[in-house]
Amino acid sequence: EHNWSQALKYLESATKISRVQPDFNLAMGECYQHLGKLKEAIFHFTLVVQHRPKSSSGWEALIRCLYDAEHYAEAEIQVNIAESKTGGKPIFQFYRSAILFAMGKSKEALIQLDNALQRAPRLLKNFIEVNPVILQNQAVVDLVATFKRKRPI
C-alpha cells in the first residue's frame, strides 16, 4: 500500500503530465484502486474510456473496478459498451460471465462462459482473476473440465 500511496503522490505532483491524458488517468485509477478508493478509481477509468473509447485496457480497468465495487448492473452496461467500442473482444464475454455470476444469474453466466471459452480459451485466467472463488462453483469447474477434455487450453 505504501508504494501505491507514493505513486499517487508522485502523479498528483507531476507538472509535466497533462491531467486529461488517458495514461495519466489510467495510472491514477490503478493507484486509487489498489488503495481501495474505488469511487476515485472509477472516475479516472471513466476518463480513460471517454478519451480513448477503443482502449481495451481502459475498459477492462473500469469494468474490473466496477465489479470490485459491487456495481454489477453498471459493470454489465459498461461491458456492452466496451464490446461495441472495441470490436467485440472476447475478454468482455468473460467479464460479462463473472458479472452475471455475481448477480446470481448462473444459467446465463454459464452460457457466456462457454461461449467465451469457445472464442478465446487462453483468457480463462482473466475470468478467474476477477473472482478466484468462482472455482468453488461446481458448474464452472465442470464446464472448464469438459472444455479442457475437448480442447486443451
Side-chain angles (χ1 to χ4, degrees), residues 53 59 63 77-89 92:
W59 285 110
I63 292 162
I77 291 167
Q78 296 305 320
V79 162
N80 293 333
I81 297 169
E83 280 185 317
S84 70
K85 299 287 185 185
T86 64
K89 296 202 176 189
F92 298 113

Side-chain angles (χ1 to χ4, degrees), residues 10-145:
Y10 171 78
L11 286 168
E12 288 173 338
S13 67
T15 55
K16 295 192 190 282
I17 300 174
S18 169
R19 298 195 183 280
V20 296
Q21 284 291 343
D23 293 338
F24 169 80
N25 284 299
L26 190 60
M28 289 290 287
E30 288 171 0
C31 288
Y32 279 123
Q33 187 170 13
H34 284 283
L35 292 170
K37 297 182 177 188
L38 300 181
K39 185 177 180 183
E40 292 87 346
I42 290 167
F43 171 78
H44 285 283
F45 292 143
T46 300
L47 290 175
V48 173
V49 299
Q50 285 175 347
H51 286 89
R52 276 198 196 136
K54 293 182 181 179
S55 168
S56 290
S57 59
W59 285 110
E60 284 188 58
L62 175 60
I63 292 162
R64 289 178 73 133
C65 194
L66 288 166
Y67 183 94
D68 289 348
E70 298 180 4
H71 297 314
Y72 303 126
E74 182 62 25
E76 186 178 20
I77 291 167
Q78 296 305 320
V79 162
N80 293 333
I81 297 169
E83 280 185 317
S84 70
K85 299 287 185 185
T86 64
K89 296 202 176 189
I91 185 65
F92 298 113
Q93 207 162 12
F94 280 101
Y95 288 137
R96 178 180 290 109
S97 176
I99 292 162
L100 290 169
F101 274 115
M103 295 171 85
K105 299 178 179 179
S106 298
K107 194 179 232 180
E108 197 177 336
L110 283 169
I111 292 168
Q112 290 295 317
L113 179 57
D114 187 37
N115 291 337
L117 283 168
Q118 300 295 332
R119 291 182 64 201
R122 285 182 169 62
L123 295 177
L124 177 63
K125 66 184 181 319
N126 298 69
F127 170 76
I128 294 167
E129 284 172 5
V130 172
N131 181 10
V133 177
I134 198 74
L135 291 177
Q136 293 178 7
N137 182 319
Q138 193 59 49
V140 171
V141 172
D142 291 346
L143 178 64
V144 171

